[in-house]
Amino acid sequence: MDSVFANVVQAPEDPILGVTVAYNKDPSPAKLNLGVGAYRTEEGKPIVLNVVRKAEQLLVNDPSHLKEYLPILGLADFNKLTAKLILGADSPAVLENRIATAQCLSGTGSLRVGSEFLARHYHQHTIYIPQPTWGNHPKVFTSGGLNVKSYRYYDPTTRGLDLQGLLEDLNAADAGSVVLFHACAHNPTGVDPTPEQWEQIRQLVRSKGLLPFFDSAYQGFASGSLDEDAQSVRMFVADGGECFIAQSYAKNMGLYGERVGALSIIWIFTWFFKPALDWKYWFRHEKKVCKAADVASRVESQLKLVVRPMYSNPPIHGASIVAKVLKDKDLYDEWTAELKGMADRIISMRQQLFDALTARGTPGDWSHIIKQIGMFTFTGLNAEQVSFMRNEYHIYMTSDGRISMAGLSSRTVPHLADAIHAAVTRVA
């Protein structure tokens, strides 16, 4: 008898994960995988940060650290510290209790929980995402019950930001629509707005009554500074408006397989003011603070209803590592040093690749490689050139020409530069 599932259609491979599948099948010793979104050392190896190993050992040696179920919204210390990391400890949203945070399954899970919450409790069910964006974004938001539209973001002629197109598209969006922004290190392009451009975007978003949803997957991993990489988010939070933030510790703490992340929802006060950091502020605005706490309670109660049937509650190990690192000054300082080391190595790879292409006289302007930021570079190579590089040089990347700079090393840069030069000169 045939299985009742005999008519199930074979699904296509994920375009990003499929790159690694093809790479693993290639027997060539010269093969190079630039599709994977994970950091590699100069030797091309995965890394576990020293500070993570120390935190894990502290947890192992702590008899009070158990393996019991976490609450539905996760580890309380983790949630508080994670919100402060992206917003800043002195953020009005933190001081005024205008934030609800849920530990989720890394960035993807945070986006998914946020989209379902919006589908249930927000009057607009349309989200605008940048074109291009991470390939999983439209799938996550559609599965969460939102209608996905796009806004212009990348200009292929300049290999930079299409600010005019972005502003025009958001200005034409229906009032109240949700807008996805990459907090920093835009994936896949590596193109971020300048602070001045972010301010133009913020003003338009607030004037149109749009709801910003930030995906922060690379805080500290782009520039090497946790504060600098959070500036876009903090700019929007500082104006007193509402926003959603999805965070991940996959890249910046190397906790890829632990699936550690968080969703934070920030709402508005009746009016916005800069609080004094003393008891008089709380006394003067007690009713406002209580009102915010009431909103927090109701938002958290509904987040629980989203999470409970989805995965019940999040895992404890990764969140405990993060909380341990963020609470301990010595561990925190060691983490930020290791984080800057990873970011600096990626920046160095950009410069080395640019220098190698320049030395070969490769046709075209390759300055976008050093102007872009973060893990990925949008090379500008077309699908035919990408296919040529795979077949002739055993270099693997996504068909849109995105490469992971974190997968490069000083040893492999010349091989990649040779392949790009050949592709540009021999393939239209």
Side-chain angles (χ1 to χ4, degrees), residues 176-223:
S177 296
V178 185
V179 183
L180 177 74
F181 294 116
H182 297 227
C184 67
H186 180 273
N187 177 8
T189 70
V191 174
D192 286 350
T194 65
E196 294 75 21
Q197 290 170 334
W198 271 121
E199 176 58 20
Q200 287 182 263
I201 296 167
R202 185 198 66 80
Q203 290 181 17
L204 176 61
V205 165
R206 294 312 190 196
S207 68
K208 286 281 297 183
L210 305 175
L211 179 62
F213 195 147
F214 283 95
D215 185 355
S216 178
Y218 302 99
Q219 186 184 359
F221 199 80
S223 69

mmCIF file of all heavy atoms in Angstrom, residues 176-223:
data_model
loop_
_atom_site.group_PDB
_atom_site.id
_atom_site.type_symbol
_atom_site.label_atom_id
_atom_site.label_comp_id
_atom_site.label_asym_id
_atom_site.label_seq_id
_atom_site.Cartn_x
_atom_site.Cartn_y
_atom_site.Cartn_z
ATOM 1 N N GLY A 176 -0.242 53.562 9.994
ATOM 2 C CA GLY A 176 -0.307 52.484 10.967
ATOM 3 C C GLY A 176 0.378 51.204 10.537
ATOM 4 O O GLY A 176 0.493 50.268 11.338
ATOM 5 N N SER A 177 0.833 51.129 9.288
ATOM 6 C CA SER A 177 1.503 49.912 8.826
ATOM 7 C C SER A 177 2.757 49.644 9.654
ATOM 8 O O SER A 177 3.397 50.557 10.180
ATOM 9 C CB SER A 177 1.891 50.034 7.351
ATOM 10 O OG SER A 177 0.754 50.140 6.531
ATOM 11 N N VAL A 178 3.109 48.374 9.760
ATOM 12 C CA VAL A 178 4.339 47.978 10.440
ATOM 13 C C VAL A 178 5.484 48.051 9.430
ATOM 14 O O VAL A 178 5.299 47.720 8.256
ATOM 15 C CB VAL A 178 4.219 46.547 11.001
ATOM 16 C CG1 VAL A 178 5.453 46.183 11.826
ATOM 17 C CG2 VAL A 178 2.950 46.401 11.841
ATOM 18 N N VAL A 179 6.651 48.488 9.878
ATOM 19 C CA VAL A 179 7.821 48.578 8.993
ATOM 20 C C VAL A 179 8.991 47.869 9.655
ATOM 21 O O VAL A 179 9.359 48.170 10.795
ATOM 22 C CB VAL A 179 8.215 50.035 8.696
ATOM 23 C CG1 VAL A 179 9.389 50.074 7.723
ATOM 24 C CG2 VAL A 179 7.044 50.817 8.142
ATOM 25 N N LEU A 180 9.563 46.920 8.931
ATOM 26 C CA LEU A 180 10.738 46.219 9.431
ATOM 27 C C LEU A 180 11.996 46.990 9.090
ATOM 28 O O LEU A 180 12.211 47.376 7.934
ATOM 29 C CB LEU A 180 10.824 44.819 8.819
ATOM 30 C CG LEU A 180 12.068 44.022 9.231
ATOM 31 C CD1 LEU A 180 11.942 43.525 10.662
ATOM 32 C CD2 LEU A 180 12.322 42.861 8.283
ATOM 33 N N PHE A 181 12.843 47.185 10.089
ATOM 34 C CA PHE A 181 14.160 47.788 9.894
ATOM 35 C C PHE A 181 15.228 46.845 10.446
ATOM 36 O O PHE A 181 15.019 46.207 11.486
ATOM 37 C CB PHE A 181 14.281 49.131 10.624
ATOM 38 C CG PHE A 181 13.404 50.211 10.094
ATOM 39 C CD1 PHE A 181 12.391 50.752 10.887
ATOM 40 C CD2 PHE A 181 13.567 50.722 8.809
ATOM 41 C CE1 PHE A 181 11.572 51.758 10.410
ATOM 42 C CE2 PHE A 181 12.752 51.727 8.327
ATOM 43 C CZ PHE A 181 11.750 52.253 9.126
ATOM 44 N N HIS A 182 16.359 46.772 9.762
ATOM 45 C CA HIS A 182 17.523 46.090 10.311
ATOM 46 C C HIS A 182 18.246 47.110 11.192
ATOM 47 O O HIS A 182 18.650 48.174 10.713
ATOM 48 C CB HIS A 182 18.454 45.612 9.206
ATOM 49 C CG HIS A 182 17.852 44.595 8.284
ATOM 50 N ND1 HIS A 182 18.507 43.434 7.916
ATOM 51 C CD2 HIS A 182 16.651 44.560 7.644
ATOM 52 C CE1 HIS A 182 17.744 42.732 7.104
ATOM 53 N NE2 HIS A 182 16.609 43.402 6.913
ATOM 54 N N ALA A 183 18.430 46.799 12.461
ATOM 55 C CA ALA A 183 19.019 47.771 13.388
ATOM 56 C C ALA A 183 20.420 48.182 12.959
ATOM 57 O O ALA A 183 20.809 49.350 13.103
ATOM 58 C CB ALA A 183 19.043 47.196 14.802
ATOM 59 N N CYS A 184 21.185 47.252 12.427
ATOM 60 C CA CYS A 184 22.521 47.535 11.901
ATOM 61 C C CYS A 184 22.947 46.350 11.054
ATOM 62 O O CYS A 184 22.347 45.276 11.122
ATOM 63 C CB CYS A 184 23.539 47.784 13.021
ATOM 64 S SG CYS A 184 23.889 46.319 14.030
ATOM 65 N N ALA A 185 23.984 46.535 10.239
ATOM 66 C CA ALA A 185 24.549 45.450 9.420
ATOM 67 C C ALA A 185 23.469 44.769 8.594
ATOM 68 O O ALA A 185 23.231 43.566 8.717
ATOM 69 C CB ALA A 185 25.283 44.438 10.306
ATOM 70 N N HIS A 186 22.812 45.552 7.752
ATOM 71 C CA HIS A 186 21.705 45.039 6.942
ATOM 72 C C HIS A 186 22.107 43.762 6.201
ATOM 73 O O HIS A 186 23.165 43.680 5.582
ATOM 74 C CB HIS A 186 21.280 46.101 5.927
ATOM 75 C CG HIS A 186 20.145 45.687 5.046
ATOM 76 N ND1 HIS A 186 20.332 44.992 3.875
ATOM 77 C CD2 HIS A 186 18.801 45.850 5.174
ATOM 78 C CE1 HIS A 186 19.158 44.756 3.313
ATOM 79 N NE2 HIS A 186 18.217 45.262 4.079
ATOM 80 N N ASN A 187 21.254 42.770 6.309
ATOM 81 C CA ASN A 187 21.444 41.474 5.642
ATOM 82 C C ASN A 187 20.434 41.362 4.506
ATOM 83 O O ASN A 187 19.234 41.422 4.752
ATOM 84 C CB ASN A 187 21.228 40.350 6.671
ATOM 85 C CG ASN A 187 21.329 38.958 6.075
ATOM 86 O OD1 ASN A 187 21.698 38.786 4.916
ATOM 87 N ND2 ASN A 187 20.999 37.967 6.884
ATOM 88 N N PRO A 188 20.877 41.274 3.239
ATOM 89 C CA PRO A 188 22.196 40.810 2.798
ATOM 90 C C PRO A 188 23.159 41.881 2.304
ATOM 91 O O PRO A 188 24.259 41.547 1.881
ATOM 92 C CB PRO A 188 21.811 39.920 1.614
ATOM 93 C CG PRO A 188 20.652 40.631 0.980
ATOM 94 C CD PRO A 188 19.883 41.209 2.131
ATOM 95 N N THR A 189 22.789 43.147 2.330
ATOM 96 C CA THR A 189 23.576 44.132 1.584
ATOM 97 C C THR A 189 24.754 44.720 2.348
ATOM 98 O O THR A 189 25.697 45.220 1.734
ATOM 99 C CB THR A 189 22.690 45.300 1.112
ATOM 100 O OG1 THR A 189 22.290 46.081 2.245
ATOM 101 C CG2 THR A 189 21.470 44.798 0.368
ATOM 102 N N GLY A 190 24.697 44.727 3.680
ATOM 103 C CA GLY A 190 25.728 45.410 4.445
ATOM 104 C C GLY A 190 25.632 46.917 4.368
ATOM 105 O O GLY A 190 26.527 47.636 4.815
ATOM 106 N N VAL A 191 24.525 47.426 3.828
ATOM 107 C CA VAL A 191 24.324 48.875 3.661
ATOM 108 C C VAL A 191 23.418 49.389 4.776
ATOM 109 O O VAL A 191 22.281 48.941 4.915
ATOM 110 C CB VAL A 191 23.690 49.193 2.291
ATOM 111 C CG1 VAL A 191 23.352 50.672 2.182
ATOM 112 C CG2 VAL A 191 24.620 48.762 1.172
ATOM 113 N N ASP A 192 23.929 50.314 5.580
ATOM 114 C CA ASP A 192 23.152 50.915 6.663
ATOM 115 C C ASP A 192 22.958 52.406 6.415
ATOM 116 O O ASP A 192 23.852 53.065 5.867
ATOM 117 C CB ASP A 192 23.871 50.753 8.004
ATOM 118 C CG ASP A 192 23.807 49.338 8.551
ATOM 119 O OD1 ASP A 192 23.053 48.521 7.984
ATOM 120 O OD2 ASP A 192 24.510 49.058 9.530
ATOM 121 N N PRO A 193 21.821 52.970 6.823
ATOM 122 C CA PRO A 193 21.664 54.431 6.766
ATOM 123 C C PRO A 193 22.658 55.112 7.703
ATOM 124 O O PRO A 193 23.065 54.545 8.716
ATOM 125 C CB PRO A 193 20.220 54.647 7.245
ATOM 126 C CG PRO A 193 19.533 53.330 7.062
ATOM 127 C CD PRO A 193 20.591 52.286 7.289
ATOM 128 N N THR A 194 23.042 56.327 7.345
ATOM 129 C CA THR A 194 23.845 57.149 8.253
ATOM 130 C C THR A 194 22.939 57.655 9.371
ATOM 131 O O THR A 194 21.710 57.595 9.255
ATOM 132 C CB THR A 194 24.449 58.346 7.510
ATOM 133 O OG1 THR A 194 23.368 59.206 7.087
ATOM 134 C CG2 THR A 194 25.252 57.906 6.296
ATOM 135 N N PRO A 195 23.507 58.187 10.471
ATOM 136 C CA PRO A 195 22.649 58.765 11.519
ATOM 137 C C PRO A 195 21.708 59.842 10.982
ATOM 138 O O PRO A 195 20.548 59.920 11.409
ATOM 139 C CB PRO A 195 23.670 59.349 12.508
ATOM 140 C CG PRO A 195 24.885 58.488 12.342
ATOM 141 C CD PRO A 195 24.931 58.163 10.874
ATOM 142 N N GLU A 196 22.189 60.648 10.057
ATOM 143 C CA GLU A 196 21.340 61.697 9.484
ATOM 144 C C GLU A 196 20.197 61.086 8.665
ATOM 145 O O GLU A 196 19.058 61.583 8.699
ATOM 146 C CB GLU A 196 22.171 62.617 8.599
ATOM 147 C CG GLU A 196 23.229 63.444 9.346
ATOM 148 C CD GLU A 196 24.439 62.618 9.762
ATOM 149 O OE1 GLU A 196 24.684 61.544 9.175
ATOM 150 O OE2 GLU A 196 25.146 63.059 10.711
ATOM 151 N N GLN A 197 20.486 60.022 7.949
ATOM 152 C CA GLN A 197 19.443 59.350 7.171
ATOM 153 C C GLN A 197 18.446 58.648 8.089
ATOM 154 O O GLN A 197 17.240 58.653 7.820
ATOM 155 C CB GLN A 197 20.080 58.362 6.201
ATOM 156 C CG GLN A 197 20.840 59.029 5.068
ATOM 157 C CD GLN A 197 21.674 58.058 4.261
ATOM 158 O OE1 GLN A 197 22.091 57.008 4.755
ATOM 159 N NE2 GLN A 197 21.938 58.394 3.000
ATOM 160 N N TRP A 198 18.941 58.058 9.173
ATOM 161 C CA TRP A 198 18.045 57.449 10.149
ATOM 162 C C TRP A 198 17.075 58.489 10.712
ATOM 163 O O TRP A 198 15.892 58.201 10.927
ATOM 164 C CB TRP A 198 18.826 56.808 11.293
ATOM 165 C CG TRP A 198 19.215 55.377 11.089
ATOM 166 C CD1 TRP A 198 20.472 54.852 11.084
ATOM 167 C CD2 TRP A 198 18.336 54.260 10.877
ATOM 168 N NE1 TRP A 198 20.436 53.488 10.880
ATOM 169 C CE2 TRP A 198 19.131 53.099 10.752
ATOM 170 C CE3 TRP A 198 16.948 54.137 10.782
ATOM 171 C CZ2 TRP A 198 18.589 51.827 10.539
ATOM 172 C CZ3 TRP A 198 16.402 52.877 10.566
ATOM 173 C CH2 TRP A 198 17.209 51.744 10.438
ATOM 174 N N GLU A 199 17.571 59.698 10.940
ATOM 175 C CA GLU A 199 16.701 60.745 11.485
ATOM 176 C C GLU A 199 15.608 61.112 10.485
ATOM 177 O O GLU A 199 14.444 61.323 10.876
ATOM 178 C CB GLU A 199 17.537 61.974 11.848
ATOM 179 C CG GLU A 199 16.716 63.170 12.349
ATOM 180 C CD GLU A 199 15.866 62.873 13.563
ATOM 181 O OE1 GLU A 199 16.141 61.891 14.284
ATOM 182 O OE2 GLU A 199 14.905 63.634 13.798
ATOM 183 N N GLN A 200 15.939 61.176 9.207
ATOM 184 C CA GLN A 200 14.915 61.424 8.187
ATOM 185 C C GLN A 200 13.876 60.299 8.183
ATOM 186 O O GLN A 200 12.665 60.554 8.080
ATOM 187 C CB GLN A 200 15.556 61.516 6.799
ATOM 188 C CG GLN A 200 16.344 62.772 6.527
ATOM 189 C CD GLN A 200 16.903 62.781 5.112
ATOM 190 O OE1 GLN A 200 18.053 62.429 4.873
ATOM 191 N NE2 GLN A 200 16.081 63.177 4.158
ATOM 192 N N ILE A 201 14.346 59.087 8.290
ATOM 193 C CA ILE A 201 13.442 57.938 8.311
ATOM 194 C C ILE A 201 12.553 57.985 9.551
ATOM 195 O O ILE A 201 11.338 57.758 9.474
ATOM 196 C CB ILE A 201 14.260 56.629 8.273
ATOM 197 C CG1 ILE A 201 15.026 56.516 6.950
ATOM 198 C CG2 ILE A 201 13.356 55.419 8.473
ATOM 199 C CD1 ILE A 201 16.085 55.427 6.936
ATOM 200 N N ARG A 202 13.152 58.289 10.700
ATOM 201 C CA ARG A 202 12.380 58.349 11.946
ATOM 202 C C ARG A 202 11.269 59.396 11.857
ATOM 203 O O ARG A 202 10.119 59.147 12.256
ATOM 204 C CB ARG A 202 13.307 58.674 13.130
ATOM 205 C CG ARG A 202 12.608 58.647 14.492
ATOM 206 C CD ARG A 202 13.414 59.378 15.550
ATOM 207 N NE ARG A 202 13.498 60.807 15.262
ATOM 208 C CZ ARG A 202 12.528 61.678 15.531
ATOM 209 N NH1 ARG A 202 11.373 61.281 16.056
ATOM 210 N NH2 ARG A 202 12.691 62.955 15.239
ATOM 211 N N GLN A 203 11.602 60.561 11.355
ATOM 212 C CA GLN A 203 10.599 61.616 11.259
ATOM 213 C C GLN A 203 9.429 61.205 10.369
ATOM 214 O O GLN A 203 8.261 61.462 10.691
ATOM 215 C CB GLN A 203 11.242 62.902 10.741
ATOM 216 C CG GLN A 203 12.192 63.568 11.720
ATOM 217 C CD GLN A 203 12.790 64.858 11.171
ATOM 218 O OE1 GLN A 203 12.289 65.433 10.214
ATOM 219 N NE2 GLN A 203 13.866 65.319 11.790
ATOM 220 N N LEU A 204 9.731 60.550 9.257
ATOM 221 C CA LEU A 204 8.666 60.099 8.368
ATOM 222 C C LEU A 204 7.816 59.021 9.033
ATOM 223 O O LEU A 204 6.577 59.051 8.960
ATOM 224 C CB LEU A 204 9.264 59.563 7.065
ATOM 225 C CG LEU A 204 8.254 58.964 6.073
ATOM 226 C CD1 LEU A 204 7.246 60.023 5.636
ATOM 227 C CD2 LEU A 204 8.955 58.359 4.874
ATOM 228 N N VAL A 205 8.476 58.073 9.678
ATOM 229 C CA VAL A 205 7.746 56.993 10.352
ATOM 230 C C VAL A 205 6.789 57.549 11.389
ATOM 231 O O VAL A 205 5.615 57.149 11.455
ATOM 232 C CB VAL A 205 8.750 56.008 11.001
ATOM 233 C CG1 VAL A 205 8.052 55.087 11.998
ATOM 234 C CG2 VAL A 205 9.454 55.185 9.933
ATOM 235 N N ARG A 206 7.251 58.481 12.194
ATOM 236 C CA ARG A 206 6.386 59.035 13.244
ATOM 237 C C ARG A 206 5.284 59.913 12.653
ATOM 238 O O ARG A 206 4.141 59.878 13.117
ATOM 239 C CB ARG A 206 7.227 59.824 14.252
ATOM 240 C CG ARG A 206 8.213 58.988 15.061
ATOM 241 C CD ARG A 206 7.597 57.757 15.658
ATOM 242 N NE ARG A 206 8.472 57.082 16.622
ATOM 243 C CZ ARG A 206 8.309 55.852 17.054
ATOM 244 N NH1 ARG A 206 7.306 55.113 16.585
ATOM 245 N NH2 ARG A 206 9.143 55.316 17.925
ATOM 246 N N SER A 207 5.592 60.671 11.618
ATOM 247 C CA SER A 207 4.568 61.546 11.027
ATOM 248 C C SER A 207 3.469 60.743 10.345
ATOM 249 O O SER A 207 2.313 61.173 10.286
ATOM 250 C CB SER A 207 5.208 62.509 10.027
ATOM 251 O OG SER A 207 5.699 61.818 8.886
ATOM 252 N N LYS A 208 3.822 59.561 9.837
ATOM 253 C CA LYS A 208 2.845 58.699 9.170
ATOM 254 C C LYS A 208 2.149 57.743 10.137
ATOM 255 O O LYS A 208 1.238 57.007 9.744
ATOM 256 C CB LYS A 208 3.544 57.874 8.076
ATOM 257 C CG LYS A 208 3.927 58.658 6.838
ATOM 258 C CD LYS A 208 2.714 58.867 5.926
ATOM 259 C CE LYS A 208 2.174 57.556 5.418
ATOM 260 N NZ LYS A 208 1.049 57.747 4.467
ATOM 261 N N GLY A 209 2.589 57.733 11.386
ATOM 262 C CA GLY A 209 1.999 56.812 12.349
ATOM 263 C C GLY A 209 2.330 55.358 12.055
ATOM 264 O O GLY A 209 1.532 54.459 12.360
ATOM 265 N N LEU A 210 3.508 55.116 11.453
ATOM 266 C CA LEU A 210 3.940 53.749 11.182
ATOM 267 C C LEU A 210 4.540 53.128 12.438
ATOM 268 O O LEU A 210 4.993 53.833 13.338
ATOM 269 C CB LEU A 210 4.972 53.736 10.042
ATOM 270 C CG LEU A 210 4.548 54.409 8.736
ATOM 271 C CD1 LEU A 210 5.703 54.427 7.747
ATOM 272 C CD2 LEU A 210 3.339 53.706 8.131
ATOM 273 N N LEU A 211 4.527 51.803 12.510
ATOM 274 C CA LEU A 211 5.044 51.103 13.686
ATOM 275 C C LEU A 211 6.356 50.416 13.325
ATOM 276 O O LEU A 211 6.362 49.453 12.553
ATOM 277 C CB LEU A 211 4.033 50.065 14.174
ATOM 278 C CG LEU A 211 4.457 49.229 15.389
ATOM 279 C CD1 LEU A 211 4.671 50.114 16.619
ATOM 280 C CD2 LEU A 211 3.406 48.157 15.689
ATOM 281 N N PRO A 212 7.494 50.875 13.854
ATOM 282 C CA PRO A 212 8.779 50.258 13.521
ATOM 283 C C PRO A 212 8.987 48.940 14.252
ATOM 284 O O PRO A 212 8.682 48.814 15.439
ATOM 285 C CB PRO A 212 9.802 51.308 13.971
ATOM 286 C CG PRO A 212 9.108 52.088 15.035
ATOM 287 C CD PRO A 212 7.653 52.075 14.698
ATOM 288 N N PHE A 213 9.504 47.970 13.527
ATOM 289 C CA PHE A 213 9.850 46.656 14.080
ATOM 290 C C PHE A 213 11.316 46.421 13.729
ATOM 291 O O PHE A 213 11.665 46.199 12.572
ATOM 292 C CB PHE A 213 8.969 45.581 13.452
ATOM 293 C CG PHE A 213 8.962 44.250 14.186
ATOM 294 C CD1 PHE A 213 7.816 43.461 14.206
ATOM 295 C CD2 PHE A 213 10.094 43.771 14.834
ATOM 296 C CE1 PHE A 213 7.795 42.222 14.867
ATOM 297 C CE2 PHE A 213 10.091 42.544 15.497
ATOM 298 C CZ PHE A 213 8.932 41.773 15.508
ATOM 299 N N PHE A 214 12.188 46.495 14.728
ATOM 300 C CA PHE A 214 13.628 46.365 14.501
ATOM 301 C C PHE A 214 14.069 44.915 14.652
ATOM 302 O O PHE A 214 13.705 44.241 15.624
ATOM 303 C CB PHE A 214 14.424 47.224 15.490
ATOM 304 C CG PHE A 214 14.430 48.688 15.158
ATOM 305 C CD1 PHE A 214 13.509 49.542 15.732
ATOM 306 C CD2 PHE A 214 15.352 49.201 14.257
ATOM 307 C CE1 PHE A 214 13.503 50.896 15.418
ATOM 308 C CE2 PHE A 214 15.366 50.539 13.942
ATOM 309 C CZ PHE A 214 14.435 51.394 14.524
ATOM 310 N N ASP A 215 14.869 44.458 13.707
ATOM 311 C CA ASP A 215 15.526 43.170 13.802
ATOM 312 C C ASP A 215 16.986 43.447 14.133
ATOM 313 O O ASP A 215 17.750 43.920 13.295
ATOM 314 C CB ASP A 215 15.399 42.407 12.486
ATOM 315 C CG ASP A 215 15.967 40.991 12.566
ATOM 316 O OD1 ASP A 215 16.539 40.645 13.621
ATOM 317 O OD2 ASP A 215 15.852 40.236 11.583
ATOM 318 N N SER A 216 17.372 43.158 15.376
ATOM 319 C CA SER A 216 18.735 43.429 15.835
ATOM 320 C C SER A 216 19.476 42.110 16.000
ATOM 321 O O SER A 216 19.476 41.507 17.072
ATOM 322 C CB SER A 216 18.714 44.198 17.163
ATOM 323 O OG SER A 216 20.029 44.434 17.633
ATOM 324 N N ALA A 217 20.100 41.673 14.931
ATOM 325 C CA ALA A 217 20.812 40.391 14.935
ATOM 326 C C ALA A 217 22.312 40.561 15.126
ATOM 327 O O ALA A 217 23.012 39.558 15.331
ATOM 328 C CB ALA A 217 20.550 39.644 13.628
ATOM 329 N N TYR A 218 22.816 41.804 15.050
ATOM 330 C CA TYR A 218 24.266 42.001 14.998
ATOM 331 C C TYR A 218 24.768 43.084 15.942
ATOM 332 O O TYR A 218 25.800 43.693 15.669
ATOM 333 C CB TYR A 218 24.681 42.351 13.567
ATOM 334 C CG TYR A 218 24.288 41.315 12.542
ATOM 335 C CD1 TYR A 218 23.149 41.478 11.765
ATOM 336 C CD2 TYR A 218 25.055 40.171 12.368
ATOM 337 C CE1 TYR A 218 22.784 40.524 10.826
ATOM 338 C CE2 TYR A 218 24.701 39.209 11.430
ATOM 339 C CZ TYR A 218 23.559 39.391 10.660
ATOM 340 O OH TYR A 218 23.194 38.442 9.743
ATOM 341 N N GLN A 219 24.096 43.331 17.062
ATOM 342 C CA GLN A 219 24.548 44.385 17.957
ATOM 343 C C GLN A 219 25.967 44.102 18.449
ATOM 344 O O GLN A 219 26.247 43.062 19.036
ATOM 345 C CB GLN A 219 23.600 44.533 19.150
ATOM 346 C CG GLN A 219 23.956 45.723 20.041
ATOM 347 C CD GLN A 219 23.083 45.830 21.280
ATOM 348 O OE1 GLN A 219 22.173 45.023 21.488
ATOM 349 N NE2 GLN A 219 23.346 46.820 22.110
ATOM 350 N N GLY A 220 26.870 45.032 18.207
ATOM 351 C CA GLY A 220 28.264 44.883 18.597
ATOM 352 C C GLY A 220 29.105 44.130 17.584
ATOM 353 O O GLY A 220 30.329 44.228 17.588
ATOM 354 N N PHE A 221 28.457 43.394 16.705
ATOM 355 C CA PHE A 221 29.148 42.556 15.737
ATOM 356 C C PHE A 221 29.485 43.330 14.467
ATOM 357 O O PHE A 221 30.336 42.921 13.694
ATOM 358 C CB PHE A 221 28.249 41.362 15.387
ATOM 359 C CG PHE A 221 28.960 40.195 14.758
ATOM 360 C CD1 PHE A 221 29.668 39.302 15.544
ATOM 361 C CD2 PHE A 221 28.905 39.977 13.398
ATOM 362 C CE1 PHE A 221 30.322 38.209 14.974
ATOM 363 C CE2 PHE A 221 29.540 38.894 12.814
ATOM 364 C CZ PHE A 221 30.253 38.008 13.605
ATOM 365 N N ALA A 222 28.812 44.465 14.265
ATOM 366 C CA ALA A 222 29.028 45.260 13.050
ATOM 367 C C ALA A 222 30.226 46.190 13.214
ATOM 368 O O ALA A 222 31.240 46.051 12.530
ATOM 369 C CB ALA A 222 27.774 46.053 12.714
ATOM 370 N N SER A 223 30.108 47.124 14.165
ATOM 371 C CA SER A 223 31.170 48.118 14.363
ATOM 372 C C SER A 223 32.178 47.707 15.427
ATOM 373 O O SER A 223 33.277 48.262 15.497
ATOM 374 C CB SER A 223 30.556 49.451 14.762
ATOM 375 O OG SER A 223 29.992 49.368 16.070
#
